[in-house]
Amino acid sequence: MALLPILEFPDKRLRTVAEPVTEFNDELRQLIKDMFETMYDAPGIGLAATQINVHQRIITIDTSEDKNEPLVVINPQFEVLADETEKMQEGCLSVPGFYEDVVRPNKIRLTAQDEQGEEYSLEADDLLAVCIQHEIDHLDGKLFVDYLSPLKRNRIRSKLEKLHRQHA
Ligand code: QAP
Ligand code: CO
């Protein structure tokens, strides 16, 4: 098992569009274990492979209270199921210390594969629906700060750049 280093905004590598997973092997399953370990350690409720500089369409999620409902999301697609939206305060392990409101559809159907390559589909609402969309954005090189005003985004960028200089 291993904790993996997490890329932080405004790292350009977070803008990489991830490739579909084609091989469901032990190497993939080990990577997923390490992603869960990294996510639970943070602690976080979602992690996309992009954030650990692996540009494949892999996500780990656990939005449960007791952190005992791991969800493996590979090659995801989703459709919006209702016109309703949800305004939720989002954070991100790649934007540490910053939380801002983002509006997204709050009911979706996710279709994805698990770590064996088995396809599944589930309906998600509220926090899980938001988290799935946030993580799929990562696979497309998008971050929640992209939904904020340029002023807010630039303030966050400056503060994180300053922290990164201090820790360099
Ligand atoms: C995405 O984010 C998410 O700033 C997952 O210092 C978040 O797990 C979707 C975290 C909220 C919907 C709502 C953030 C940990 C974790 C931080 C996370 C931090 C430590 C973020
Ligand atoms: Co994130």
Side-chain angles (χ1 to χ4, degrees):
M1 300 279 270
L3 291 179
L4 307 166
I6 295 173
L7 300 178
E8 292 187 5
F9 178 69
D11 194 309
K12 281 269 186 335
R13 293 170 290 183
L14 288 167
R15 299 310 186 177
T16 311
V17 177
E19 300 284 347
V21 171
T22 55
E23 294 225 51
F24 293 82
N25 54 23
D26 288 343
E27 191 188 343
L28 173 71
R29 287 181 281 272
Q30 184 58 53
L31 175 68
I32 289 166
K33 281 183 188 166
D34 292 343
M35 285 177 64
F36 274 113
E37 191 184 2
T38 303
M39 182 184 87
Y40 286 130
D41 179 74
I45 59 172
L47 182 71
T50 308
Q51 294 176 273
I52 52 150
N53 202 28
V54 172
H55 301 289
Q56 297 186 53
R57 303 187 79 80
I58 307 164
I59 292 165
T60 56
I61 289 179
D62 191 338
T63 57
S64 72
E65 195 98 344
D66 297 331
K67 298 290 161 234
N68 57 359
E69 293 175 28
L71 180 66
V72 174
V73 181
I74 299 172
N75 298 334
Q77 297 194 279
F78 75 95
E79 76 183 278
V80 174
L81 292 185
D83 286 337
E84 265 175 277
T85 57
E86 179 117 347
K87 181 160 88 177
M88 197 178 283
Q89 234 184 31
E90 294 189 22
C92 181
L93 290 170
S94 295
V95 192
F98 295 89
Y99 303 85
E100 296 287 347
D101 281 346
V102 177
V103 175
R104 301 185 192 262
N106 77 344
K107 200 166 164 55
I108 63 167
R109 170 162 293 282
L110 169 70
T111 305
Q113 285 166 284
D114 67 14
E115 68 273 27
Q116 310 293 342
E118 204 62 45
E119 190 173 288
Y120 67 89
S121 177
L122 60 80
E123 275 187 30
D125 51 23
D126 304 320
L127 179 61
L128 181 58
V130 168
C131 191
I132 289 167
Q133 293 172 79
H134 174 117
E135 301 309 333
I136 292 175
D137 271 355
H138 277 300
L139 302 181
D140 293 325
K142 278 193 89 173
L143 296 167
F144 84 90
V145 297
D146 299 346
Y147 297 98
L148 309 178
S149 70
L151 181 67
K152 275 192 180 166
R153 184 167 52 255
N154 288 332
R155 279 191 185 138
I156 295 171
R157 178 191 290 120
S158 302
K159 287 179 185 167
L160 281 174
E161 278 173 343
K162 187 173 171 192
L163 283 170
H164 296 156
R165 281 197 299 275
Q166 285 166 345
H167 297 168

